[in-house]
Amino acid sequence: MRPQSEVRLAVAAALIDGRGSVRQLAVRTGWSVGAVRTALDNMERAGDVRVIDTQPQRGSKRWVPVYARVLLDDPAMQDDDDDTADLGRTLFSAWFQPDAALQPLREAAM
């Protein structure tokens, strides 16, 4: 895995203080808007941040996304589709049958 860039680390530190748009995070970090936008796009793909709201941009009709960190303990930020854990348990229980190991071998009646 490649190390994180300085911009990404600065944006992650700025998001600890609270949510923000690209421009607000650029002001907090001191990096350019383009660098912060690229870092946020990459962080969103990696699942580190999520768009939680949109707000109007001052002087325009355009709405801009507001980003926030994804907290692992927050149930609202987690996906409810955790079928892989259920699949793993099903496969394990199909493979491992403790009852079969405890029963003695029975001979077939002829």
Side-chain angles (χ1 to χ4, degrees):
M1 187 159 89
R2 293 177 11 190
Q4 295 182 357
S5 69
E6 294 176 28
V7 180
R8 187 171 175 163
L9 292 174
V11 169
L15 284 171
I16 291 175
D17 296 335
R19 63 188 199 156
S21 66
V22 174
R23 186 176 301 241
Q24 291 169 345
L25 293 171
V27 169
R28 281 190 223 162
T29 59
W31 289 93
S32 69
V33 173
V36 171
R37 182 179 296 122
T38 302
L40 282 170
D41 287 343
N42 292 337
M43 291 172 75
E44 188 175 13
R45 280 191 205 115
D48 296 336
V49 297
R50 184 177 283 177
V51 176
I52 59 167
D53 196 14
T54 56
Q55 66 185 15
Q57 185 177 5
R58 208 168 96 201
S60 175
K61 292 183 179 181
R62 184 171 168 249
W63 288 68
V64 295
V66 177
Y67 294 91
R69 292 185 323 141
V70 173
L71 302 175
L72 297 178
D73 297 337
D74 188 6
M77 293 289 194
Q78 292 180 350
D79 292 334
D80 293 334
D81 301 333
D82 194 16
D83 294 336
T84 56
D86 296 334
L87 178 63
R89 277 189 232 112
T90 305
L91 290 175
F92 180 75
S93 64
W95 173 77
F96 181 70
Q97 297 175 355
D99 296 335
L102 296 176
Q103 294 176 355
L105 293 175
R106 298 181 188 165
E107 295 181 20
M110 290 193 205

